[in-house]
Amino acid sequence: MNSRLAFLIAAVLVAASTAAQDIGSADREQLGNLISKRPYSPYAGRGFATRVFWGDTHLHTGFSMDAGAFGARLTPADAYRFAKGEEVTASSGQPVKLGRALDFLVVTDHSDGMGFFPIIMSGSPAVLADPIGRRWYEMIQSGDGATAAIEIVRSFGLGQMPKAIFPAPGTQPYRNAWETTIKAAEEANDPGRFTAFIGYEWTSNAGGNNLHRNVIFRDDASKASLVEPFTTLAPLGSPNPVDLWKWMTDFEAKTGGRVLAIAHNGNLSNGRMFPLIESFSGKRVTREYVEQRAKWEPLYEATQIKGDGEAHPMLSPSDEFANFEIWDKGNLDLSEDKTPAMLEFEYVRSGLRNGLRLERDLGTNPYKFGMVGSTDAHTGLTAVEEDNFFGKTSSAEPSAERAEHVFVNNPRGGPPIMAWETIASGYAGVWATDNTREALFDAMQRKETYATTGPRMILRFFGGWEFEARDAQSRLPAEIGYRKGVPMGGDLTAAPAGRAPSFLVAALKDPVGANLDRIQIVKGWLDARGETHEKVYDVVWSGDRRPGADGKVPAVGNTVDVANATWTNTIGAPELIKVWTDPEFDPALRAFYYVRLLEIPTPRWTAYDAKYYGLQLGPEVRMIQQERAYSSPIWYTP
Amino acid sequence: MTRWRNEPLLHFAVLGIGLFALYSLVSDGGESAGSEELVVDAPRIAALADQFVRSWRRAPTQAELDGLIESYVRDEVLYREGLALGLDRDDAVIRSRVRLKMELLGDSAEAEVTEADLDAWFDAHLSRYATPARYELRQVYFDPARHGATRADAVATALRELEREPGLDPAALGDATLLPAVLADVTQADVAAQLGEELAAALASAPAGRWFGPVTSSYGDHLLRVNVLSASEPAVLADVRDAVERDLRYSRAQTARNALYERLRTRYTVRIETPAGSDFDAALAAEPR
């Protein structure tokens, strides 16, 4: 290929700019034409995603009843400003600014009691007339908001919120809170530069078991303001996700708008997040359940402050990286212990596996989700950089004491969840053509996304039948990836006779972050007898390490100086790329493949706290971690 | 010695004596000062009625209004006497409530935004609203792991080739990378997000349209060629009006509270009597920065 043509294609493919609609498969054909015909305009025909946009799909502000009670005073407007890179004053009075601005944000305050806290704070006659309302008002006023918050969350989980003061859809206080939320997103939305989605969290917490979903609107105020968020309290709301999907169906039918939902924290659901036996009916999941879930929930939040949800060491005993920031003491309020039998229905990997089985039985895979990470911070601050972690709640904003606070008390006397166990995680990477609500939403819908535990590494993952080793030497792996295969979130079918699927996988470290340890591909499959399996392959790694007798690449090493909270990029690699072919492929069996990308070890937020405040934290407090990214899977269906 | 100090009965007795003293104070002062005036005027009554309407969504009856007034008088009498006794001091609820009210006072004082305010704010923050410069950037990457000691030579050789033949495909030189070889139309912020701060910083001083370098980033070395597509343009207020108003209001809300505080703070001379040589001092001394 002559150099001018190569340059032309490079310009076409790589340049970041505005573009129109983006549907991956159609654009592959356009691209093929481009290469043979070479249109005059170098910008014509470029349709695939050239840039990853970073954001948080899950952030609470003072409008969320629990966040407010924990001391969050920031509003949705503050939250968007902060995400755009502006300095704000945190609820604890400290100035705070992101190291790097984000590209998008969804403020997702709890739909139940949205705006409840501003109402409690107002000390209105209605609040003071209610004995519980008065009690909370006084607790918050006297500086004991944290205790009030815990009582509020627990009352909510038990369905014992005082009806008289709880803002319900249809009332004026509720309407005001929703209108304010919408207005903040409308004002912050700046197409091409920053996307502010309208959204809310539907917080189903029956029996303290976390079945929460974030609902994201593709549209603007003209559609979102035609409805009020779906809640979990009868008679208007319901804690059953089946009813949320009905609400979403109604919304689209009524307004012509579009919405999607992202579930999170299966690790606190006590076996209910990815069920085979559905918890509300007590019966096997139905065809309707699997179809609706697949339709409305294209993504899952795999990692966030309340623990990482990719894999659990008891489910994946031979995976030496599965034991990462696990929360498995019980459900969300620790009202019920965790049992080993629950784990299978809580984690990403086992959920993806069981999805294959349900697809065989019912014709649709309900757990065919892509992955995002997000914060779930309740501070109005999407601040999960390790050296800039502003905590889960406003009471956990930086202080010398915060690491050793109790985060969730165990009402039954067992071990509590400590604040140091919260993790500074994560963000969502979205491959999109442009930074607009439409382009990002559509990318989420087609699952061209990945989760990270905070750092912004670039991750490309393509699957096809024709990748060959030299594609990894290409100057333009994305161009080859889209031309020969499907991107993350895509599907492979119709295996050519005698071929195994091959994958082009490439990663680039965060420009300000740590080097990379390795890229792994996690495969799950359903065998002919209906049993599911998984295997983790080391695909490409830094340095000249050789796999040991067990087939595993040895650990990369560790340069972390805990006392000074630093590390050096003297180990690892800034960039990794490889074509990998499944060595054990059976064309008759359903399978999925996703990437797990590992950084070299770096200091955990607790190490930055210890350094700044001069602390000696207990020996149980983890100070080092290996941050990571999880790609959306690529599925193979015979 | 310490034992009787912790004795609840003693606490009770002390409290009792205190209450007795208080009572005699109140009964003496209260009865003799029967002349203090407590006026419930028309605006007050209207406010009471209005509050009722907001709670109950209807007007109060005369009997209800009388009840509201009586309740207000009762509040006021006990409130005044309580203040006179200093019962508001060291009460966390009252303190935080009063503080909140003071801060809200500061907020509402700045609510109006005029055309002149917008102009002034806009003029003072012109750079914030300016359209950023747009660049075309090409880069050739050199991976430190692949060159070792010969890296400087490889970079210099490539630079000579590019200088001799500027139309040379940059993607054919240097090492393969996921980093984009060409960014066709980007701002400095875009470059920082995609390639890192080091390359973004190099944009400002780049010689126009000529290959230069190497510039070192966290990935390795880069040769760069930068074309300025459009220079930074000052904004026109009409185009960015909404953003200007939003920023102005936000800034005022943030500063109003502090301004109020600072104004009030000048009325006080604050003396902090930290005990010398205490643990507290040691903790402060240990604090970084």
Side-chain angles (χ1 to χ4, degrees), chain A residues 279-517:
Chain A
S279 60
F280 288 90
S281 65
K283 301 200 177 90
R284 291 190 63 80
V285 296
T286 60
R287 187 178 299 272
E288 197 204 349
Y289 179 96
V290 298
E291 286 173 359
Q292 290 294 304
R293 183 153 177 167
K295 178 173 183 192
W296 295 114
E297 302 191 6
L299 300 176
Y300 181 72
E301 184 185 300
T303 185
Q304 64 130 283
I305 293 176
K306 293 198 304 281
D308 192 86
E310 187 239 344
H312 190 283
M314 285 173 75
L315 299 171
S316 307
S318 65
D319 178 356
E320 71 272 35
F321 297 105
N323 193 10
F324 179 70
E325 303 287 354
I326 295 295
W327 282 34
D328 60 0
K329 288 171 182 155
N331 53 2
L332 180 57
D333 58 4
L334 290 184
S335 61
E336 184 185 73
D337 274 332
K338 182 83 69 208
T339 65
M342 295 170 179
L343 297 173
E344 178 186 344
F345 309 108
E346 300 190 343
Y347 284 82
V348 161
R349 198 182 296 171
S350 49
L352 290 169
R353 284 168 58 177
N354 279 333
L356 299 179
R357 189 186 301 181
L358 288 170
E359 184 179 49
R360 183 202 58 179
D361 295 345
L362 298 170
T364 302
N365 179 351
Y367 310 136
K368 194 170 180 176
F369 51 80
M371 283 190 251
V372 290
S374 281
T375 66
D376 195 8
H378 279 52
T379 54
L381 302 168
T382 170
V384 291
E385 296 153 311
E386 297 297 323
D387 59 351
N388 193 27
F389 179 46
F390 265 61
K392 164 73 186 171
T393 60
S394 293
S395 55
E397 287 175 4
S399 74
E401 301 81 26
R402 67 162 171 174
E404 304 206 289
H405 280 166
V406 171
F407 179 67
V408 183
N409 246 314
N410 193 321
R412 291 159 308 105
I417 299 172
M418 302 299 295
W420 67 261
E421 294 181 73
T422 59
I423 67 175
S425 174
Y427 287 130
V430 177
W431 284 107
T433 49
D434 199 6
N435 189 1
T436 61
R437 284 175 177 163
E438 296 76 18
L440 293 177
F441 186 97
D442 294 347
M444 291 179 187
Q445 196 68 260
R446 66 174 188 263
K447 310 180 180 96
E448 203 171 347
T449 64
Y450 57 102
T452 91
T453 56
R456 304 184 196 178
M457 36 312 222
I458 303 297
L459 178 60
R460 285 289 200 183
F461 182 44
F462 299 96
W465 305 103
E466 290 162 12
F467 288 111
E468 45 201 337
R470 66 190 172 92
D471 291 337
Q473 264 74 60
S474 160
R475 300 287 178 143
L476 299 166
E479 185 271 326
I480 290 180
Y482 282 107
R483 184 156 50 81
K484 288 186 169 183
V486 297
M488 55 180 72
D491 283 291
L492 294 175
T493 54
R499 302 296 282 269
S502 50
F503 298 87
L504 174 60
V505 57
L508 189 67
K509 80 177 191 76
D510 182 331
V512 302
N515 273 348
L516 306 174
D517 167 6

Side-chain angles (χ1 to χ4, degrees), chain A residues 84 92 120 172 229 238 243 263 404 427 446 450 479 483 515 532 538 540 560-561 564 599 632:
Chain A
K84 284 178 164 181
S92 56
I120 282 278
Q172 197 55 45
S238 156
D243 295 319
E404 304 206 289
Y427 287 130
R446 66 174 188 263
Y450 57 102
E479 185 271 326
R483 184 156 50 81
N515 273 348
T532 66
D538 289 319
V540 53
V560 175
D561 174 351
N564 289 306
E599 275 190 352
S632 291

Side-chain angles (χ1 to χ4, degrees), chain B residues 29-184:
Chain B
E31 277 162 29
S32 62
S35 58
E36 193 172 350
E37 202 176 16
L38 199 166
V39 179
V40 186
D41 57 10
R44 170 65 58 193
I45 294 169
L48 290 170
D50 188 49
Q51 204 172 5
F52 185 94
V53 171
R54 267 183 284 142
S55 308
W56 298 94
R57 309 235 161 246
R58 64 172 174 81
T61 64
Q62 189 56 48
E64 282 165 340
L65 195 57
D66 291 345
L68 289 174
I69 293 167
E70 181 48 38
S71 166
Y72 171 78
V73 171
R74 192 185 179 94
D75 275 358
E76 190 62 19
V77 166
L78 292 174
Y79 176 69
R80 288 188 192 181
E81 293 300 320
L83 283 186
L85 289 171
L87 295 186
D88 54 326
R89 308 212 160 237
D90 299 324
D91 183 314
V93 176
I94 293 170
R95 288 174 70 96
S96 80
R97 187 77 185 149
V98 170
R99 174 182 160 169
L100 186 73
K101 287 173 93 164
M102 286 300 286
E103 288 182 340
L104 287 176
L105 215 63
D107 289 356
S108 56
E110 301 281 357
E112 273 312 304
V113 171
T114 65
E115 243 0 84
D117 293 338
L118 287 179
D119 282 340
W121 171 272
F122 178 67
D123 289 342
H125 298 85
L126 273 179
S127 64
R128 184 187 294 196
Y129 303 104
T131 314
R134 302 200 72 87
Y135 303 93
E136 179 199 59
L137 173 71
R138 295 165 200 217
Q139 63 95 19
V140 177
Y141 169 70
F142 297 87
D143 180 353
R146 283 179 215 165
H147 292 282
T150 64
R151 180 159 49 143
D153 292 343
V155 173
T157 306
L159 183 56
R160 273 199 303 279
E161 281 182 49
L162 287 165
E163 280 168 345
R164 198 168 51 233
E165 199 179 336
L168 210 58
D169 173 18
L173 296 168
D175 298 315
T177 176
L178 275 182
L179 294 167
V182 181
L183 293 174

Side-chain angles (χ1 to χ4, degrees), chain A residues 69-270:
Chain A
F70 270 112
R73 297 289 179 270
L74 299 192
T75 63
D78 296 319
Y80 286 118
R81 287 191 82 87
F82 178 76
K84 284 178 164 181
E86 305 265 344
E87 181 169 312
V88 305
T89 301
S91 301
S92 56
Q94 309 179 61
V96 56
K97 187 174 192 278
L98 271 179
R100 283 170 289 171
L102 288 176
D103 299 307
F104 70 92
L105 173 68
V106 196
V107 167
T108 53
D109 281 310
H110 298 292
S111 62
D112 286 288
M114 187 179 280
F116 172 71
F117 190 72
I119 293 171
I120 282 278
M121 279 289 283
S122 74
S124 69
V127 167
L128 298 181
D130 183 278
I132 301 174
R134 174 179 284 275
R135 175 182 162 77
W136 289 336
Y137 171 74
E138 285 172 355
M139 282 168 114
I140 292 161
Q141 288 295 326
S142 62
D144 198 11
T147 312
I150 289 163
E151 280 195 16
I152 289 169
V153 174
R154 189 161 284 153
S155 297
F156 180 71
L158 297 171
Q160 295 171 351
M161 289 300 275
K163 299 267 182 298
I165 59 167
F166 201 58
T171 63
Q172 197 55 45
Y174 196 89
R175 186 79 218 169
N176 290 347
W178 180 231
E179 292 289 349
T180 308
T181 301
I182 291 173
K183 182 162 173 276
E186 294 292 274
E187 289 187 350
N189 193 47
D190 188 2
R193 284 194 282 265
F194 182 87
T195 295
F197 283 104
I198 299 169
Y200 68 88
E201 180 178 323
W202 172 81
T203 311
S204 168
N205 214 30
N209 301 310
N210 185 319
L211 287 176
H212 306 179
R213 264 93 173 160
N214 290 309
V215 176
I216 301 175
F217 292 74
R218 185 178 190 267
D219 309 285
D220 62 14
S222 68
K223 296 207 163 81
S225 63
L226 296 176
V227 292
E228 285 176 358
F230 191 59
T231 57
T232 69
L233 294 179
L236 292 170
S238 156
N240 188 337
V242 170
D243 295 319
L244 174 68
W245 302 328
K246 282 189 192 130
W247 181 92
M248 295 170 79
T249 307
D250 288 348
F251 169 79
E252 293 201 350
K254 178 177 165 188
T255 68
R258 288 178 64 196
V259 282
L260 61 79
I262 305 176
H264 67 90
N265 282 111
N267 59 344
L268 303 173
S269 74
N270 272 12

